[in-house]
Amino acid sequence: MEVFIREAGMVWKAESKEMGKAVTLSASDLLMRLLAFILTLAAAIVIATDKQTKVVPIQISDSLPPFHLPLTAKWDQMSAILYFLVTNAIACTYGALTLVVAVVNRGKSKGLWTVMTVLDAFMVALLFSGNGAAAAVGVLGYKGNSHVNWKKVCNVFDKFCGQMAVSIGVSLIGSLAFLLLVVIPVVRLHRRTLSINN
């Protein structure tokens, strides 16, 4: 006996004799994978193009006039931002690969979907760690740290910091899309278990 369940744009079927038989590919899965791919790609591009050069006055001594030096803020100057870029590039590549696999596989292999769900959870953790690292550096850039005498730099490199903040926001939305890719199968499994037991 087959049970068809329709919920918020998703259609899936379960065989009541055995748990875990066929699961049809849902539009929400494809949409979330596409959204995660696009958002992590956009975040990686935005941070990779983040660069600003400004002429900054540097005061060496009170008795001397300040030197005006051109200084450049670029994404590759801090390891936390580099890590952020790499995590988004990895998640983007993974998103593209799983989007292709999802279209080609069309829900035929339940083992593959299980592996993809585990890897989706790994992408969530990876992206959240990259977002946290970049956000911590961003807060230091905006506020500085008076305890260790680190000056804020976002008052000078405002475009650089603004672009970095946009990239972090876009990446955060991308990580939420990957999180939904983990939550949706769990909800499906729960509902499926309830329908089979009833």
Side-chain angles (χ1 to χ4, degrees):
M1 177 176 142
E2 293 181 344
V3 178
F4 291 91
I5 299 174
R6 182 179 300 272
E7 54 184 65
M10 297 182 288
V11 179
W12 53 275
K13 98 179 156 177
E15 305 275 339
S16 63
K17 292 185 179 180
E18 279 185 56
M19 289 210 22
K21 284 262 181 165
V23 176
T24 62
L25 181 65
S26 72
S28 64
D29 282 336
L30 284 178
L31 180 66
M32 283 301 126
R33 290 197 184 282
L34 181 64
L35 189 63
F37 164 68
I38 290 171
L39 289 170
T40 53
L41 176 64
I45 290 171
V46 168
I47 200 67
T49 59
D50 198 4
K51 179 180 178 182
Q52 183 180 10
T53 301
K54 281 249 183 145
V55 176
V56 179
I58 297 178
Q59 187 77 38
I60 296 176
S61 170
D62 291 337
S63 62
L64 295 172
F67 291 103
H68 294 279
L69 296 173
L71 297 176
T72 301
K74 196 174 175 193
W75 63 270
D76 62 352
Q77 295 171 335
M78 294 203 70
S79 58
I81 301 173
L82 179 61
Y83 176 68
F84 172 75
L85 173 67
V86 170
T87 59
N88 277 282
I90 290 170
C92 171
T93 304
Y94 169 78
L97 290 174
T98 57
L99 187 60
V100 170
V101 168
V103 170
V104 170
N105 184 40
R106 295 236 171 232
K108 295 173 190 163
S109 170
K110 70 176 181 175
L112 183 61
W113 284 106
T114 304
V115 169
M116 283 174 50
T117 301
V118 170
L119 290 174
D120 290 341
F122 178 72
M123 287 304 127
V124 170
L126 187 66
L127 283 171
F128 277 135
S129 69
N131 291 337
V137 168
V139 169
L140 281 175
Y142 274 109
K143 298 192 178 245
N145 188 330
S146 59
H147 301 292
V148 291
N149 204 21
W150 290 345
K151 306 289 184 201
K152 58 184 176 178
V153 295
C154 287
N155 57 338
V156 177
F157 297 104
D158 53 342
K159 177 192 162 288
F160 175 81
C161 292
Q163 196 168 331
M164 186 171 138
V166 167
S167 182
I168 293 169
V170 170
S171 178
L172 187 60
I173 297 169
S175 21
L176 292 176
F178 275 113
L179 182 63
L180 284 174
L181 284 169
V182 174
V183 170
I184 289 171
V186 171
V187 170
R188 277 192 202 142
L189 181 61
H190 176 70
R191 288 185 179 171
R192 190 169 169 187
T193 306
L194 290 176
S195 69
I196 290 172
N197 289 337
N198 290 335

